[in-house]
């Protein structure tokens, strides 16, 4: 009997050990490798950094971007000479062991400071640049333009869909979804999260926005789980998605970093103001000459009468 119990216990221990190291699928991040169960949770290594990823929650944006950059460098077939890749906003980031962005990011000899969303918030400088701290992004505005349609969407259904989707799919506490606004054809979603509000178990709005943007653009990070946007039993397609970031401290951009279009507008305004001043001065000068001439003629008339 004791031998039987001992054998049974050994089998249970072996089964537990096997289950502990059993391979698993990271449902919330397909850009991982070496996945195995640990303490009942699927744990993997992030591609590009090798940092451990907890698959029960969202992966940080920094690790996701690093994995995406590594994917674009993989040994796939050679591209045609004139082929190019849309990498706007994508770079190979430096991440802390916790997965968050390092405040200072560099590409060779060029460096810049970023916010918690990994978005550049200063001009680009050389490697001597100092970034004192990682500035928190407290407000993210997601603006989407849906495809042309004859009738507007039901605003209440739309608001309910996106609030439930962001809460359930991306595990963001509903109190951080402060607004869902529909103005045909634009849908605007506001996510706000101060550092004082966010607990250690809350997902970050920067990670949520990145997952959401990838979903809407058809490049989901989830494993075999695409987002289907269906409002009132009708599939919705988007033509454009833009994401805006507001930090707790204003960004530090100089005039030279402004877009050519904005600079052109500023130059036109300055020229218009200078031209108005010149016209005003010339008008006053001419008026002054006229007054002086009029006074001179009056004096001559007075002298003629006195004579």
């Amino acid at each position: 009997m004791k031998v039987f119990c001992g054998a049974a216990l050994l089998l249970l221990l072996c089964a537990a050990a096997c289950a502990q190291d059993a391979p698993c699928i990271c449902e919330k991040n397909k850009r991982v490798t070496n996945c195995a169960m640990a303490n009942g949770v699927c744990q993997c290594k992030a591609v590009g950094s090798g940092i451990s990823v907890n698959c029960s929650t969202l992966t940080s944006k920094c690790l996701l971007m690093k994995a995406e950059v590594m994917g674009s460098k993989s040994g796939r077939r050679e591209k045609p000479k004139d082929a190019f890749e849309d990498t706007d906003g994508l770079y190979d980031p430096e991440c802390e062991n916790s997965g968050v962005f390092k405040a200072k990011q560099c590409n060779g000899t060029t460096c810049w400071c970023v916010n918690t969303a990994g978005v550049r918030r200063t001009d680009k400088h050389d490697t001597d640049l100092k970034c004192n701290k990682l500035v928190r992004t407290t407000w993210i505005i997601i603006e989407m333009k849906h495809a042309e349609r004859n009738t507007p969407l039901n605003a209440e259904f739309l608001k309910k869909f996106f609030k439930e989707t962001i809460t359930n799919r991306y595990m963001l506490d509903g109190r951080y979804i402060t607004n869902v606004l529909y103005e045909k054809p634009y849908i605007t979603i506001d996510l706000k999260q101060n550092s004082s509000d966010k607990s250690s178990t809350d997902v970050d709005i920067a990670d949520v926005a990145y997952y959401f943007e990838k979903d809407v653009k058809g490049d989901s990070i989830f494993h075999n789980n695409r987002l289907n946007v269906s409002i009132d039993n009708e599939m919705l397609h988007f033509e454009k998605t833009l994401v805006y970031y507001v930090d707790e401290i204003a960004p530090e951009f100089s005039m030279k970093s402004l877009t050519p279009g904005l600079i052109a507008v500023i130059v036109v305004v300055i020229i218009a103001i200078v031209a108005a001043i010149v016209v005003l001065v010339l008008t006053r000068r001419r008026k002054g000459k006229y007054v002086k001439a009029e006074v001179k003629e009056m004096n001559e008339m007075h002298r003629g009468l006195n004579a």
Side-chain angles (χ1 to χ4, degrees), residues 1-15:
M1 184 68 179
K2 289 183 179 179
V3 173
F4 175 77
C5 290
L9 180 61
L10 184 61
L11 286 172
L12 287 173
L13 290 174
C14 288

Side-chain angles (χ1 to χ4, degrees), residues 62 66 91-96 99-106:
C62 188
K66 195 164 191 69
Y91 61 93
D92 187 2
E94 290 292 323
C95 311
E96 302 284 2
V100 302
F101 289 93
K102 289 187 176 182
K104 179 180 177 180
Q105 298 289 333
C106 297

Side-chain angles (χ1 to χ4, degrees), residues 109-126:
T109 58
T110 304
C111 298
W112 59 93
C113 301
V114 300
N115 55 23
T116 50
V119 178
R120 183 167 66 89
R121 47 173 281 106
T122 66
D123 293 331
K124 293 184 177 181
H125 300 271
D126 57 27

Side-chain angles (χ1 to χ4, degrees), residues 185-198:
Y186 293 99
I187 302 167
T188 305
I189 302 172
D190 290 325
L191 307 178
K192 292 184 179 181
Q193 185 183 61
N194 295 320
S195 54
S196 58
D197 297 333
K198 184 180 179 296

Side-chain angles (χ1 to χ4, degrees), residues 6-265:
L9 180 61
L10 184 61
L11 286 172
L12 287 173
L13 290 174
C14 288
C18 290
Q20 182 76 354
D21 297 325
C24 56
I25 294 175
C26 191
E27 296 292 346
K28 291 182 172 59
N29 185 359
K30 63 185 180 183
R31 298 171 185 163
V32 292
T33 186
N34 298 332
C35 296
M37 295 297 294
N39 299 321
V41 177
C42 186
Q43 299 276 353
C44 307
K45 298 295 183 183
V47 172
S49 64
I51 293 176
S52 182
V53 168
N54 180 348
C55 294
S56 66
T57 188
L58 301 187
T59 303
S60 72
K61 181 181 176 181
C62 188
L63 296 181
L64 293 174
M65 284 179 60
K66 195 164 191 69
E68 187 174 354
V69 170
M70 292 303 295
S72 67
K73 294 178 180 178
S74 62
R76 293 175 289 182
R77 69 181 179 84
E78 186 177 351
K79 304 295 188 298
K81 177 173 64 70
D82 296 325
F84 63 93
E85 183 181 10
D86 180 10
T87 58
D88 185 36
L90 182 64
Y91 61 93
D92 187 2
E94 290 292 323
C95 311
E96 302 284 2
N97 289 334
S98 61
V100 302
F101 289 93
K102 289 187 176 182
K104 179 180 177 180
Q105 298 289 333
C106 297
N107 182 10
T109 58
T110 304
C111 298
W112 59 93
C113 301
V114 300
N115 55 23
T116 50
V119 178
R120 183 167 66 89
R121 47 173 281 106
T122 66
D123 293 331
K124 293 184 177 181
H125 300 271
D126 57 27
T127 54
D128 293 331
L129 175 67
K130 302 295 182 185
C131 302
N132 296 324
K133 70 171 185 176
L134 184 65
V135 176
R136 177 156 188 78
T137 297
T138 57
W139 181 10
I140 294 180
I141 305 163
I142 304 170
E143 182 183 86
M144 299 168 287
K145 180 183 179 183
H146 64 64
E148 187 66 31
R149 51 182 293 118
N150 295 326
T151 58
L153 295 165
N154 184 305
E156 287 304 313
F157 285 171
L158 185 142
K159 184 175 182 179
K160 183 174 183 289
F161 172 84
F162 281 112
K163 280 203 168 187
E164 289 181 351
T165 297
I166 294 173
T167 300
N168 298 328
R169 185 175 175 85
Y170 311 108
M171 302 181 297
L172 183 67
D173 192 310
R175 63 196 173 105
Y176 299 130
I177 309 169
T178 59
N179 190 33
V180 178
L181 178 66
Y182 178 51
E183 297 172 304
K184 184 191 175 190
Y186 293 99
I187 302 167
T188 305
I189 302 172
D190 290 325
L191 307 178
K192 292 184 179 181
Q193 185 183 61
N194 295 320
S195 54
S196 58
D197 297 333
K198 184 180 179 296
S199 70
S200 58
T201 57
D202 284 333
V203 294
D204 195 288
I205 58 172
D207 301 336
V208 172
Y210 193 68
Y211 267 82
F212 182 80
E213 183 182 8
K214 288 293 183 181
D215 269 339
V216 172
K217 292 182 176 179
D219 185 23
S220 181
I221 296 167
F222 289 94
H223 182 81
N224 292 332
N225 184 12
R226 289 183 174 274
L227 174 66
N228 293 317
V229 182
S230 177
I231 308 297
D232 199 16
N233 297 321
E234 181 181 352
M235 290 296 297
L236 194 61
H237 301 284
F238 298 100
E239 294 180 347
K240 184 187 294 185
T241 301
L242 298 174
V243 182
Y244 301 91
Y245 303 87
V246 180
D247 295 345
E248 60 184 359
I249 300 175
E252 302 169 5
F253 292 115
S254 64
M255 283 290 291
K256 67 180 182 181
S257 66
L258 296 177
T259 61
L262 183 56
I263 292 175
V265 171

